[in-house]
């Protein structure tokens, strides 16, 4: 379970870094179906891209800790889940977005419970190893 946790943390981190960099570099052009939304929206998109890149680096940093701190995993997963609720709020206010955004929403609801479940796997494995 501890290896699975580490692998999932690294995958999430790399994905978030890649997505963040993509949005940072391309700005509003990184959003499917959005076209030109003006300088203000492009600026905001690039800013959020940088923040998401940093969020991804925190996932990677967490995966590299020994033992992996369950509290940090839970916070990262909770932030991810909060984003899913933000998407649902947007759907309630503005309607269904482009199809890929719906797929992301499903992932954002499905993955946090897995992280919550695995969060303390490395800490438990470390305690078991120390007890032997």
């Amino acid at each position: 379970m501890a290896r699975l946790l580490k692998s999932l943390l690294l995958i999430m981190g790399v994905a978030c870094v890649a997505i963040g960099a993509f949005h940072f570099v391309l700005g509003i052009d990184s959003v499917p179906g959005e076209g030109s939304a003006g300088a203000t929206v492009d600026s905001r998109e690039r800013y959020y891209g940088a923040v998401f890149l940093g969020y991804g680096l925190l996932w990677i940093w967490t995966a590299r800790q020994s033992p992996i701190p369950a509290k940090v995993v839970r916070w990262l997963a909770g932030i991810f889940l909060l984003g899913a609720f933000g998407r649902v709020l947007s759907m309630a206010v503005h309607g269904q977005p482009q199809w890929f955004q719906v797929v992301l929403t499903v992932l954002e609801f499905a993955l946090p419970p897995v992280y919550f479940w695995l969060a303390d796997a490395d800490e438990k494995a470390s305690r078991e190893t120390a007890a032997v």
Side-chain angles (χ1 to χ4, degrees), residues 79-115:
I79 292 167
F80 197 61
L81 182 59
L82 184 61
F85 283 109
R87 288 190 195 271
V88 169
L89 179 60
S90 178
M91 287 181 210
V93 173
H94 297 286
Q96 187 167 327
Q98 195 261 357
W99 70 268
F100 190 64
Q101 302 298 314
V102 176
V103 171
L104 291 175
T105 304
V106 171
L107 286 173
E108 290 158 359
F109 275 113
L111 288 175
V114 174
Y115 286 110

Side-chain angles (χ1 to χ4, degrees), residues 33-91:
E34 283 308 301
S36 177
T40 301
V41 175
D42 185 75
S43 173
R44 184 188 64 207
E45 186 66 28
R46 291 175 197 271
Y47 173 81
Y48 290 151
V51 171
F52 203 65
L53 190 152
Y55 176 66
L57 291 174
L58 186 54
W59 280 93
I60 294 169
W61 176 86
T62 303
R64 296 174 49 99
Q65 301 307 299
S66 184
I68 294 170
K71 185 182 228 178
V72 178
V73 173
R74 289 184 185 109
W75 271 101
L76 290 169
I79 292 167
F80 197 61
L81 182 59
L82 184 61
F85 283 109
R87 288 190 195 271
V88 169
L89 179 60
S90 178
M91 287 181 210

